[in-house]
PDB file of all heavy atoms in Angstrom:
ATOM      1  N   GLU A 307       7.790 -46.205 105.340  1.00  0.00           N
ATOM      2  CA  GLU A 307       8.083 -47.560 105.819  1.00  0.00           C
ATOM      3  C   GLU A 307       7.621 -47.744 107.262  1.00  0.00           C
ATOM      4  O   GLU A 307       6.930 -48.696 107.585  1.00  0.00           O
ATOM      5  CB  GLU A 307       9.573 -47.865 105.706  1.00  0.00           C
ATOM      6  CG  GLU A 307       9.883 -49.293 106.151  1.00  0.00           C
ATOM      7  CD  GLU A 307      11.322 -49.705 105.918  1.00  0.00           C
ATOM      8  OE1 GLU A 307      12.195 -48.823 105.878  1.00  0.00           O
ATOM      9  OE2 GLU A 307      11.571 -50.921 105.780  1.00  0.00           O
ATOM     10  N   ASN A 308       8.036 -46.862 108.157  1.00  0.00           N
ATOM     11  CA  ASN A 308       7.690 -47.000 109.581  1.00  0.00           C
ATOM     12  C   ASN A 308       7.158 -45.710 110.202  1.00  0.00           C
ATOM     13  O   ASN A 308       6.638 -45.732 111.316  1.00  0.00           O
ATOM     14  CB  ASN A 308       8.943 -47.426 110.376  1.00  0.00           C
ATOM     15  CG  ASN A 308       9.375 -48.842 110.049  1.00  0.00           C
ATOM     16  OD1 ASN A 308       8.601 -49.794 110.198  1.00  0.00           O
ATOM     17  ND2 ASN A 308      10.611 -48.998 109.582  1.00  0.00           N
ATOM     18  N   LYS A 311       3.504 -45.329 111.610  1.00  0.00           N
ATOM     19  CA  LYS A 311       2.949 -46.403 112.448  1.00  0.00           C
ATOM     20  C   LYS A 311       2.686 -45.900 113.870  1.00  0.00           C
ATOM     21  O   LYS A 311       3.160 -44.831 114.263  1.00  0.00           O
ATOM     22  CB  LYS A 311       3.918 -47.586 112.436  1.00  0.00           C
ATOM     23  CG  LYS A 311       3.973 -48.271 111.069  1.00  0.00           C
ATOM     24  CD  LYS A 311       5.059 -49.331 110.989  1.00  0.00           C
ATOM     25  CE  LYS A 311       5.067 -49.998 109.615  1.00  0.00           C
ATOM     26  NZ  LYS A 311       6.205 -50.934 109.456  1.00  0.00           N
ATOM     27  N   HIS A 344       0.247 -45.493 105.870  1.00  0.00           N
ATOM     28  CA  HIS A 344       0.403 -46.844 106.436  1.00  0.00           C
ATOM     29  C   HIS A 344       0.985 -46.731 107.829  1.00  0.00           C
ATOM     30  O   HIS A 344       2.025 -46.084 107.977  1.00  0.00           O
ATOM     31  CB  HIS A 344       1.344 -47.619 105.518  1.00  0.00           C
ATOM     32  CG  HIS A 344       1.789 -48.948 106.019  1.00  0.00           C
ATOM     33  ND1 HIS A 344       1.075 -50.094 105.815  1.00  0.00           N
ATOM     34  CD2 HIS A 344       2.901 -49.336 106.695  1.00  0.00           C
ATOM     35  CE1 HIS A 344       1.728 -51.126 106.326  1.00  0.00           C
ATOM     36  NE2 HIS A 344       2.830 -50.704 106.870  1.00  0.00           N
ATOM     37  N   TRP A 348      -2.693 -52.059 113.960  1.00  0.00           N
ATOM     38  CA  TRP A 348      -1.882 -53.238 113.657  1.00  0.00           C
ATOM     39  C   TRP A 348      -1.448 -53.842 114.981  1.00  0.00           C
ATOM     40  O   TRP A 348      -1.245 -53.118 115.956  1.00  0.00           O
ATOM     41  CB  TRP A 348      -0.666 -52.772 112.832  1.00  0.00           C
ATOM     42  CG  TRP A 348       0.201 -53.831 112.238  1.00  0.00           C
ATOM     43  CD1 TRP A 348      -0.132 -55.126 111.972  1.00  0.00           C
ATOM     44  CD2 TRP A 348       1.568 -53.676 111.813  1.00  0.00           C
ATOM     45  NE1 TRP A 348       0.937 -55.779 111.392  1.00  0.00           N
ATOM     46  CE2 TRP A 348       1.985 -54.903 111.280  1.00  0.00           C
ATOM     47  CE3 TRP A 348       2.475 -52.610 111.823  1.00  0.00           C
ATOM     48  CZ2 TRP A 348       3.271 -55.119 110.779  1.00  0.00           C
ATOM     49  CZ3 TRP A 348       3.746 -52.818 111.320  1.00  0.00           C
ATOM     50  CH2 TRP A 348       4.143 -54.052 110.797  1.00  0.00           C
ATOM     51  N   SER A 350       1.397 -55.192 115.419  1.00  0.00           N
ATOM     52  CA  SER A 350       2.844 -55.010 115.535  1.00  0.00           C
ATOM     53  C   SER A 350       3.162 -53.526 115.637  1.00  0.00           C
ATOM     54  O   SER A 350       2.363 -52.671 115.256  1.00  0.00           O
ATOM     55  CB  SER A 350       3.502 -55.612 114.297  1.00  0.00           C
ATOM     56  OG  SER A 350       4.896 -55.467 114.350  1.00  0.00           O
ATOM     57  N   GLN A 351       4.377 -53.217 116.105  1.00  0.00           N
ATOM     58  CA  GLN A 351       4.832 -51.828 116.217  1.00  0.00           C
ATOM     59  C   GLN A 351       3.840 -50.963 116.996  1.00  0.00           C
ATOM     60  O   GLN A 351       3.542 -49.832 116.606  1.00  0.00           O
ATOM     61  CB  GLN A 351       5.186 -51.255 114.842  1.00  0.00           C
ATOM     62  CG  GLN A 351       6.519 -51.850 114.343  1.00  0.00           C
ATOM     63  CD  GLN A 351       6.966 -51.336 112.998  1.00  0.00           C
ATOM     64  OE1 GLN A 351       6.528 -51.826 111.972  1.00  0.00           O
ATOM     65  NE2 GLN A 351       7.857 -50.359 112.999  1.00  0.00           N
ATOM     66  N   ASN A 392      -4.310 -53.485 109.526  1.00  0.00           N
ATOM     67  CA  ASN A 392      -3.221 -54.209 108.885  1.00  0.00           C
ATOM     68  C   ASN A 392      -3.065 -55.585 109.533  1.00  0.00           C
ATOM     69  O   ASN A 392      -3.012 -55.684 110.764  1.00  0.00           O
ATOM     70  CB  ASN A 392      -1.924 -53.396 109.075  1.00  0.00           C
ATOM     71  CG  ASN A 392      -0.795 -53.828 108.174  1.00  0.00           C
ATOM     72  OD1 ASN A 392      -1.009 -54.118 107.006  1.00  0.00           O
ATOM     73  ND2 ASN A 392       0.416 -53.872 108.717  1.00  0.00           N
ATOM     74  N   GLU A 393      -3.057 -56.629 108.720  1.00  0.00           N
ATOM     75  CA  GLU A 393      -2.676 -57.979 109.165  1.00  0.00           C
ATOM     76  C   GLU A 393      -3.502 -58.478 110.355  1.00  0.00           C
ATOM     77  O   GLU A 393      -2.948 -58.953 111.346  1.00  0.00           O
ATOM     78  CB  GLU A 393      -1.175 -58.010 109.493  1.00  0.00           C
ATOM     79  CG  GLU A 393      -0.317 -57.623 108.308  1.00  0.00           C
ATOM     80  CD  GLU A 393       1.183 -57.523 108.623  1.00  0.00           C
ATOM     81  OE1 GLU A 393       1.583 -57.897 109.733  1.00  0.00           O
ATOM     82  OE2 GLU A 393       1.933 -57.067 107.754  1.00  0.00           O
ATOM     83  N   GLN A 470      -0.200 -57.166 100.147  1.00  0.00           N
ATOM     84  CA  GLN A 470       1.189 -56.740 100.351  1.00  0.00           C
ATOM     85  C   GLN A 470       2.108 -57.323  99.274  1.00  0.00           C
ATOM     86  O   GLN A 470       2.984 -56.644  98.768  1.00  0.00           O
ATOM     87  CB  GLN A 470       1.659 -57.142 101.745  1.00  0.00           C
ATOM     88  CG  GLN A 470       0.916 -56.408 102.852  1.00  0.00           C
ATOM     89  CD  GLN A 470       1.441 -56.749 104.241  1.00  0.00           C
ATOM     90  OE1 GLN A 470       2.456 -57.431 104.405  1.00  0.00           O
ATOM     91  NE2 GLN A 470       0.737 -56.274 105.264  1.00  0.00           N
ATOM     92  N   HIS A 472       4.596 -59.863  99.431  1.00  0.00           N
ATOM     93  CA  HIS A 472       5.994 -60.194  99.734  1.00  0.00           C
ATOM     94  C   HIS A 472       6.216 -61.595  99.171  1.00  0.00           C
ATOM     95  O   HIS A 472       5.805 -62.597  99.757  1.00  0.00           O
ATOM     96  CB  HIS A 472       6.234 -60.147 101.246  1.00  0.00           C
ATOM     97  CG  HIS A 472       6.089 -58.759 101.801  1.00  0.00           C
ATOM     98  ND1 HIS A 472       6.962 -57.741 101.479  1.00  0.00           N
ATOM     99  CD2 HIS A 472       5.162 -58.214 102.622  1.00  0.00           C
ATOM    100  CE1 HIS A 472       6.591 -56.620 102.087  1.00  0.00           C
ATOM    101  NE2 HIS A 472       5.492 -56.884 102.784  1.00  0.00           N
ATOM    102  N   GLU A 502       2.977 -53.696  98.874  1.00  0.00           N
ATOM    103  CA  GLU A 502       4.328 -53.840  99.447  1.00  0.00           C
ATOM    104  C   GLU A 502       5.148 -54.832  98.630  1.00  0.00           C
ATOM    105  O   GLU A 502       5.929 -55.618  99.184  1.00  0.00           O
ATOM    106  CB  GLU A 502       4.238 -54.316 100.903  1.00  0.00           C
ATOM    107  CG  GLU A 502       3.380 -53.428 101.801  1.00  0.00           C
ATOM    108  CD  GLU A 502       3.350 -53.863 103.264  1.00  0.00           C
ATOM    109  OE1 GLU A 502       4.178 -54.720 103.668  1.00  0.00           O
ATOM    110  OE2 GLU A 502       2.502 -53.355 104.005  1.00  0.00           O
ATOM    111  N   TRP A 540       8.039 -52.417  98.144  1.00  0.00           N
ATOM    112  CA  TRP A 540       8.454 -52.132  99.533  1.00  0.00           C
ATOM    113  C   TRP A 540       9.934 -51.759  99.530  1.00  0.00           C
ATOM    114  O   TRP A 540      10.803 -52.528  99.899  1.00  0.00           O
ATOM    115  CB  TRP A 540       8.138 -53.319 100.442  1.00  0.00           C
ATOM    116  CG  TRP A 540       7.970 -52.896 101.887  1.00  0.00           C
ATOM    117  CD1 TRP A 540       8.705 -53.298 102.961  1.00  0.00           C
ATOM    118  CD2 TRP A 540       6.983 -51.992 102.411  1.00  0.00           C
ATOM    119  NE1 TRP A 540       8.262 -52.691 104.113  1.00  0.00           N
ATOM    120  CE2 TRP A 540       7.192 -51.880 103.801  1.00  0.00           C
ATOM    121  CE3 TRP A 540       5.944 -51.258 101.845  1.00  0.00           C
ATOM    122  CZ2 TRP A 540       6.408 -51.072 104.628  1.00  0.00           C
ATOM    123  CZ3 TRP A 540       5.170 -50.444 102.676  1.00  0.00           C
ATOM    124  CH2 TRP A 540       5.403 -50.365 104.044  1.00  0.00           C
ATOM    125  N   TRP A 548      13.943 -54.628 104.002  1.00  0.00           N
ATOM    126  CA  TRP A 548      13.719 -55.214 105.324  1.00  0.00           C
ATOM    127  C   TRP A 548      14.145 -56.689 105.357  1.00  0.00           C
ATOM    128  O   TRP A 548      14.262 -57.277 106.425  1.00  0.00           O
ATOM    129  CB  TRP A 548      12.243 -55.102 105.709  1.00  0.00           C
ATOM    130  CG  TRP A 548      11.329 -55.964 104.873  1.00  0.00           C
ATOM    131  CD1 TRP A 548      10.979 -55.751 103.573  1.00  0.00           C
ATOM    132  CD2 TRP A 548      10.666 -57.177 105.270  1.00  0.00           C
ATOM    133  NE1 TRP A 548      10.141 -56.742 103.132  1.00  0.00           N
ATOM    134  CE2 TRP A 548       9.933 -57.628 104.157  1.00  0.00           C
ATOM    135  CE3 TRP A 548      10.621 -57.910 106.454  1.00  0.00           C
ATOM    136  CZ2 TRP A 548       9.153 -58.798 104.192  1.00  0.00           C
ATOM    137  CZ3 TRP A 548       9.849 -59.073 106.491  1.00  0.00           C
ATOM    138  CH2 TRP A 548       9.137 -59.496 105.367  1.00  0.00           C
TER     139      TRP A 548
HETATM  140  O1  G3I B 180      13.558 -47.486 115.684  1.00  0.00           O
HETATM  141  C1  G3I B 180      14.118 -48.571 116.433  1.00  0.00           C
HETATM  142  C2  G3I B 180      15.443 -48.178 117.034  1.00  0.00           C
HETATM  143  O2  G3I B 180      15.224 -47.129 117.944  1.00  0.00           O
HETATM  144  C3  G3I B 180      16.065 -49.396 117.709  1.00  0.00           C
HETATM  145  O3  G3I B 180      17.326 -49.069 118.183  1.00  0.00           O
HETATM  146  C4  G3I B 180      16.163 -50.559 116.734  1.00  0.00           C
HETATM  147  C5  G3I B 180      16.705 -51.815 117.409  1.00  0.00           C
HETATM  148  O4  G3I B 180      16.225 -52.981 116.804  1.00  0.00           O
HETATM  149  O5  G3I B 180      14.897 -50.841 116.262  1.00  0.00           O
HETATM  150  C6  G3I B 180      14.289 -49.768 115.545  1.00  0.00           C
HETATM  151  O6  G3I B 180      13.029 -50.170 115.132  1.00  0.00           O
HETATM  152  C7  G3I B 180      12.982 -51.038 114.021  1.00  0.00           C
HETATM  153  C8  G3I B 180      12.092 -50.403 112.973  1.00  0.00           C
HETATM  154  O7  G3I B 180      11.906 -51.286 111.875  1.00  0.00           O
HETATM  155  C9  G3I B 180      12.635 -49.090 112.451  1.00  0.00           C
HETATM  156  O8  G3I B 180      13.872 -49.293 111.842  1.00  0.00           O
HETATM  157  C10 G3I B 180      12.422 -52.367 114.446  1.00  0.00           C
HETATM  158  O9  G3I B 180      13.324 -53.037 115.307  1.00  0.00           O
HETATM  159  C11 G3I B 180      12.140 -53.237 113.250  1.00  0.00           C
HETATM  160  O10 G3I B 180      11.440 -54.400 113.668  1.00  0.00           O
HETATM  161  C12 G3I B 180      11.285 -52.491 112.266  1.00  0.00           C
HETATM  162  O11 G3I B 180      11.067 -53.325 111.143  1.00  0.00           O
HETATM  163  C13 G3I B 180      10.031 -52.940 110.291  1.00  0.00           C
HETATM  164  C14 G3I B 180       8.924 -53.982 110.298  1.00  0.00           C
HETATM  165  O12 G3I B 180       7.914 -53.604 109.379  1.00  0.00           O
HETATM  166  C15 G3I B 180       8.306 -54.148 111.678  1.00  0.00           C
HETATM  167  O13 G3I B 180       7.379 -55.155 111.662  1.00  0.00           O
HETATM  168  C16 G3I B 180      10.595 -52.804 108.889  1.00  0.00           C
HETATM  169  O14 G3I B 180      11.523 -51.725 108.851  1.00  0.00           O
HETATM  170  C17 G3I B 180       9.462 -52.548 107.890  1.00  0.00           C
HETATM  171  O15 G3I B 180       9.959 -52.619 106.580  1.00  0.00           O
HETATM  172  C18 G3I B 180       8.378 -53.594 108.058  1.00  0.00           C
HETATM  173  O16 G3I B 180       7.322 -53.299 107.193  1.00  0.00           O
HETATM  174  C19 G3I B 180       6.227 -54.207 107.227  1.00  0.00           C
HETATM  175  C20 G3I B 180       4.971 -53.426 106.919  1.00  0.00           C
HETATM  176  O17 G3I B 180       4.835 -52.330 107.788  1.00  0.00           O
HETATM  177  C21 G3I B 180       3.741 -54.341 107.024  1.00  0.00           C
HETATM  178  N1  G3I B 180       3.884 -55.508 106.197  1.00  0.00           N
HETATM  179  C22 G3I B 180       5.125 -56.252 106.353  1.00  0.00           C
HETATM  180  C23 G3I B 180       6.329 -55.338 106.192  1.00  0.00           C
HETATM  181  C24 G3I B 180       7.622 -56.112 106.251  1.00  0.00           C
HETATM  182  O18 G3I B 180       7.784 -56.718 107.502  1.00  0.00           O
END
Side-chain angles (χ1 to χ4, degrees):
E307 182 174 26
N308 291 303
K311 291 173 179 174
H344 171 87
W348 189 22
S350 180
Q351 286 181 277
N392 195 41
E393 301 175 8
Q470 294 183 8
H472 294 293
E502 305 183 13
W540 205 241
W548 68 287

